[in-house]
Amino acid sequence: MAGAKKNFKATKKFEKKHLKGVLDQRKTSAKIKQRQQVKTKKQTKRAKDAEFYKGGDDAENANKTNGTKNTPKVNDMSVDDFFGGGFEIIEKSQPGKKASKKLGKRKRDEPEEDDSASDDGSDLEISDNDEVPEASGSEASGDEDAEDIGMSKDAMDALAKDDPEFYNFLKENDPEALDFDDADLAEVDELSAGEEEEQPKKKRKKGKTTDLDEEEKAENELTQAMVARWKAAMSEKQSLKAARQVVLAFRSAAHLNEDDEDEGRKQAYKISDPEVFHDILIVALKQIPEVLQHHVPVKESSSGKVHIPTDSKKFKTLSNLLKSYVSAILHILGTLSDDATLKLTLSAITPVIPYILSFRKLLKTLIKTVVGFWSQSTSSDSTRIVAFLALRRLVVVGDKGIREAVLKATYQGLIAGSRVTNVNTIQGINLMKNSAAELWGLDQNIGYTTAFSFIRQLAMHLRNSIVHNQNDSYRTIYNWQYVHSLDFWSCVLAEHCSPLKEAESGKESQLKLLIYPLVQVTLGAMRLIPTATYFPVRFHMIRSLLRISRSTGTYIPLASALLEVLNSAEMKKSPKPSTIKPLDFHIAYKAPKSYLRTRVYQDGLGEQIVELFSEYFVLWSTNIAFPEFALPVIIMLKRWLKQSRKKNSGNNNSKVRAGLVLLVQKIEANAKFIEGKRAKVDFAPKNRSQVDAFLKDFGWEKTPVGAYVVAQRKAGAEKAKMLEQARKEDEQKRKEEEQAALEEGAAELDDEDDEDEEMEEFDGLDDDEDSSEDDDEE
């Protein structure tokens, strides 16, 4: 007992006097070790890059000799293996080199580091929360980069103050721990220290100086003559000194009208003339990338990989200038509103992207900023396209980590930008979906894993909505963001899984395995709330599935979903007369209560049913089994038409009945057409090659259903054009009325001011008369 009490007292004494200091010292040591690990990984990456670009056979042999056995990757797994885990998250563990013994043991409470994280650039996570925003559109901020592991300058200053002995120990034994991550982008004056080396020594004379050297540092006012002189120097001599001054002036223009003295940072130039501001913007955005390309040329391979000598002295000299230039661009983007200037500024980012691939902090900010302009509802189509080109360039030249970060940020931007869907924003949302779909095909390995994780999230939202069947649980599914998510993934699969794309690439698309889970999620979401209020969202999802079926040749049973709408109570009974405006099904995912049981809504439902049925049957209009395929639908449609003719319980909507009768006629005609062609064949159904080749070269437009669909699409396009023209005229009329109202209000204010002036003059005359009368009395 005495020994136990003694140990207990010693423990208490240690906790009271030494425990805090020991823990702090351990944390500090752990951060230093982590910094050393990052440095080691960077050196390994640079060595691998050097071997790659040299292309030596020795490196390949060494890799074969020292290579370890690879663990199964996500891309190597089959669909059955994928779904066998019940939609569990796949850990992206990859083989890598073991940590050196010099790096020390890992603590129990520290997560294991993936050795490939640095190589893949996984430190570029834009957001921790990759969940699809549920009608919120909020974007979470991401983790810090792997480069942020090092301690900041403030932390080191505090350490020097609190524990000077340990600070001196670090200074003597590990001076690299005192190298801070935060680069001071304002100190650009140290750039281009070797500018004189660029000029031939024969031309240098002691008694002469260049025009740039004659520029007095005390002169802070930027003039057009200075900008013109710098422009000429960069155009003729590719001068780095001129580029340095242009970057300083551009930075001053980016921070114009800001109180920099409060931040302890004073800008190099003052700009008061708007023409000077315009000139420095044009020079900086157009000529700085050219100067960089001249001094540090980018070598790009045929596969899209770029090589920049980051270890060279010139690149290290230009790194601060490059950071300052890109930071100024990102800052000034937030202050611009003119569309032409926005496009020019965003286009200046694309050529400097290869130079900033190693600056992870700056790259994360750049991705977030560019995606913001790409997904902004107020951005014009041309601005979105310029921003998309920058994102595409990042995916082409970046490593796996950068590609994954861009894809995730793009998807999150798309979801956030599709929250508000109306007649003004639908065109921009469609542009975003069509442009973003291209990114997932540039690297299908990364595209597959990210697409699977996002589709899995959609499935989990649907499952939670079904399991937790509460009052508003369905709202996580029936909103514009979820609908646009499903439609976007249908665009991705339709573009990259088509037979034409596969023939061009020479292999089957990896994304083709995602067709089945996406179709299942869409069919489940379609039938979540089978009421008349949410028939429009059902039509949106059917169109998404039709796109997949049309592009990939995959059969998706959709007739039952359309027959459910036709056999609903909304379509069986005669509608009530109404004078409300027809519902635009393209920009509505649910019908207001005022539309239910009205003739306007029933006419719209009938048009959608006929259109979608015809689009569904035209996909298989040349298939040898079309007569058997269409027979059940023909029977159901004829049964509905028969019941609708009943006087007491039928539907007397002649418009809906006429559309369905015409549809049945076209389907029957197409069935007879196929039967006639099928009667001439001389092969059995078991001959699959001949069955697949049946009418393969026959155009679907020549079939009865195909000709009907062509005419229907043409009529729909003309109707949409007329509606768009009418909408623009109404908008123009509304703007003119608002302008007239403003002018009328301004005229009334002017009249009131004139009356006030007249009253003041009248009061002045009265005062003069009163004063004159008083003088007379005196």
Side-chain angles (χ1 to χ4, degrees), residues 37 88 153 177 224 262 358 363 388 403 425 488 594 712:
Q37 289 175 354
E88 292 297 327
K153 185 176 181 180
Q224 285 185 315
D262 295 342
S358 57
L363 200 60
F388 167 74
R403 291 173 181 175
T425 61
F488 168 69
S594 59
Q712 194 179 42

Side-chain angles (χ1 to χ4, degrees), residues 676-693:
K677 295 286 185 181
R678 193 168 62 180
K680 301 177 183 179
V681 301
D682 56 354
F683 53 84
K686 65 179 182 179
N687 192 342
R688 294 292 302 173
S689 60
Q690 293 291 333
V691 168
D692 294 337

Side-chain angles (χ1 to χ4, degrees), residues 614-755:
S614 60
E615 292 286 350
Y616 175 61
F617 280 112
V618 80
L619 298 177
W620 315 105
S621 59
T622 59
N623 194 281
I624 196 170
F626 184 86
E628 293 76 16
F629 170 68
L631 182 61
V633 177
I634 293 175
I635 294 174
M636 294 297 295
L637 291 177
K638 287 184 175 181
R639 184 180 299 173
W640 188 91
L641 289 170
K642 184 178 180 180
Q643 291 177 353
S644 66
R645 295 189 182 95
K646 295 181 179 180
K647 293 183 179 180
N648 297 329
S649 60
N651 188 344
N652 59 2
N653 193 333
S654 59
K655 185 177 180 180
V656 175
R657 285 192 297 189
L660 291 175
V661 168
L662 182 59
L663 176 65
V664 171
Q665 292 176 356
K666 297 299 180 182
I667 296 175
E668 287 181 338
N670 202 92
K672 291 180 181 179
F673 171 77
I674 295 297
E675 287 176 354
K677 295 286 185 181
R678 193 168 62 180
K680 301 177 183 179
V681 301
D682 56 354
F683 53 84
K686 65 179 182 179
N687 192 342
R688 294 292 302 173
S689 60
Q690 293 291 333
V691 168
D692 294 337
F694 178 77
L695 295 182
K696 188 175 182 180
D697 298 330
F698 191 84
W700 61 268
E701 301 91 347
K702 300 177 183 179
T703 62
V705 173
Y708 173 66
V709 169
V710 170
Q712 194 179 42
R713 288 178 181 176
K714 187 176 180 181
E718 292 178 356
K719 182 179 178 181
K721 186 177 180 180
M722 292 173 60
L723 290 175
E724 181 68 16
Q725 186 176 358
R727 184 188 67 82
K728 289 181 178 179
E729 290 177 356
D730 292 342
E731 188 175 355
Q732 182 68 23
K733 185 178 180 181
R734 180 180 57 81
K735 289 182 179 180
E736 291 176 356
E737 291 176 356
E738 291 178 355
Q739 185 67 24
L742 289 174
E743 292 177 356
E744 185 178 353
E748 290 178 357
L749 290 175
D750 292 339
D751 293 340
E752 291 178 0
D753 294 339
D754 294 340
E755 291 177 1

Side-chain angles (χ1 to χ4, degrees), residues 252-312:
S252 302
H255 294 269
L256 192 65
N257 299 328
E258 294 182 8
D259 193 2
D260 298 324
E261 295 182 358
D262 295 342
E263 302 176 2
R265 181 179 295 173
K266 188 176 181 180
Q267 299 302 331
Y269 295 99
K270 294 180 181 179
I271 303 174
S272 57
D273 189 355
E275 294 183 359
V276 175
F277 179 84
H278 177 267
D279 291 345
I280 193 63
L281 249 65
I282 298 297
V283 172
L285 296 175
K286 288 187 175 181
Q287 293 197 264
I288 291 295
E290 297 177 0
V291 174
L292 292 173
Q293 177 66 23
H294 174 78
H295 290 283
V296 188
V298 178
K299 297 178 181 179
E300 186 170 356
S301 63
S302 58
S303 61
K305 293 186 177 182
V306 296
H307 174 62
I308 297 176
T310 55
D311 295 333
S312 64

